C-alpha cells in the first residue's frame, strides 16, 4: 500500500531504543568504584561516550582537556568535592565554564538541591541511580540549551 515507513531509531544490542542524546561525551566524577562501574555501564548502554575521574581536581583538569557535553558530578569526593569542583569549573575562562553539570548524591533534601544550584549545577539526580531518571535528567539539561558543542574545525 505505498506507505513509507520512517527510519527505525538506533537500537542497543539488547534491542532497546537509544536516546536522542546518544553520542554525547560525558565526564563522570565519582570516587566509588562500584558506582563508577554502574554509571559507566548505564551510560555506555545508552550510547554515550564516558570518561571517569575520581575527584574534583581530576574533573577540573579533565574538562579543560576534553570537550565534554555533560558532567555528572558526585557531591562527596576526596581532595575536592563536587560543589567546589563545580564552582571552579564555572570560574574557568573557557567553553568548559558553560558545561551542564548534574549533581549525583544520596542527599536529596531541598537544601542539598539549593546548594547544588548555588554552586552552578544545572541538574540533580539522587542515588542510588535510577537509569530512567538519569536519562531524563541528561535529556532535560541538553534540551534546556545549556550545552555548547564546539564547532568542528
Amino acid at each position: 500500500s505505498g506507505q513509507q515507513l520512517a527510519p527505525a531509531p538506533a537500537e542497543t544490542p539488547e534491542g532497546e531504543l537509544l536516546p536522542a542524546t546518544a553520542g554525547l561525551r560525558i565526564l563522570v566524577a565519582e570516587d566509588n568504584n562500584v558506582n563508577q562501574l554502574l554509571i559507566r555501564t548505564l551510560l555506555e548502554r545508552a550510547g554515550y561516550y564516558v570518561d571517569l575521574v575520581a575527584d574534583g581536581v581530576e574533573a577540573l583538569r579533565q574538562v579543560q582537556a576534553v570537550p565534554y557535553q555533560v558532567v555528572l558530578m558526585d557531591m562527596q569526593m576526596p581532595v575536592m568535592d563536587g560543589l567546589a569542583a563545580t564552582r571552579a569549573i564555572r570560574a574557568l575562562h573557557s567553553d568548559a565554564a558553560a558545561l551542564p553539570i548534574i549533581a549525583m548524591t544520596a542527599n536529596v533534601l531541598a537544601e542539598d538541591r539549593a546548594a547544588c544550584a548555588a554552586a552552578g549545577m544545572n541538574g540533580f539526580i539522587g542515588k542510588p541511580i535510577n537509569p530512567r531518571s538519569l536519562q531524563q535528567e541528561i535529556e532535560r539539561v541538553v534540551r534546556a540549551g545549556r550545552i555548547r558543542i564546539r564547532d568542528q574545525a
Side-chain angles (χ1 to χ4, degrees):
S1 71
Q3 286 184 330
Q4 285 191 317
L5 298 176
E11 293 184 3
T12 66
E14 294 82 23
E16 299 167 1
L17 295 180
L18 288 175
T21 51
L24 294 181
R25 180 169 292 280
I26 297 179
L27 176 65
V28 176
E30 166 65 66
D31 62 310
N32 180 284
N33 291 343
V34 173
N35 287 341
Q36 283 183 349
L37 180 62
L38 171 68
I39 295 163
R40 168 175 258 166
T41 301
L42 290 173
L43 292 172
E44 287 180 346
R45 282 187 182 165
Y48 298 110
Y49 298 99
V50 180
D51 289 332
L52 297 170
V53 295
D55 65 58
V57 171
E58 291 179 36
L60 180 60
R61 187 178 307 122
Q62 196 67 17
V63 298
Q64 294 175 85
V66 178
Y68 294 100
Q69 282 86 42
V70 176
V71 176
L72 296 177
M73 184 78 73
D74 184 29
M75 298 307 301
Q76 297 178 344
M77 296 180 289
V79 186
M80 180 188 284
D81 70 19
L83 293 175
T86 298
R87 286 190 291 268
I89 290 168
R90 294 295 180 237
L92 293 172
H93 298 288
S94 70
D95 287 349
L99 276 169
I101 300 174
I102 298 171
M104 298 186 300
T105 182
N107 304 325
V108 295
L109 300 175
E111 54 263 28
D112 298 312
R113 288 179 181 263
C116 292
M121 294 184 164
N122 307 79
F124 190 94
I125 184 84
K127 288 181 180 178
I129 300 289
N130 174 293
R132 178 162 292 180
S133 297
L134 176 62
Q135 183 58 49
Q136 288 172 341
E137 191 65 358
I138 291 169
E139 290 177 3
R140 187 190 67 74
V141 300
V142 169
R143 273 197 318 270
R146 292 189 174 118
I147 67 166
R148 298 194 325 221
I149 297 174
R150 293 182 181 180
D151 295 331
Q152 303 299 318

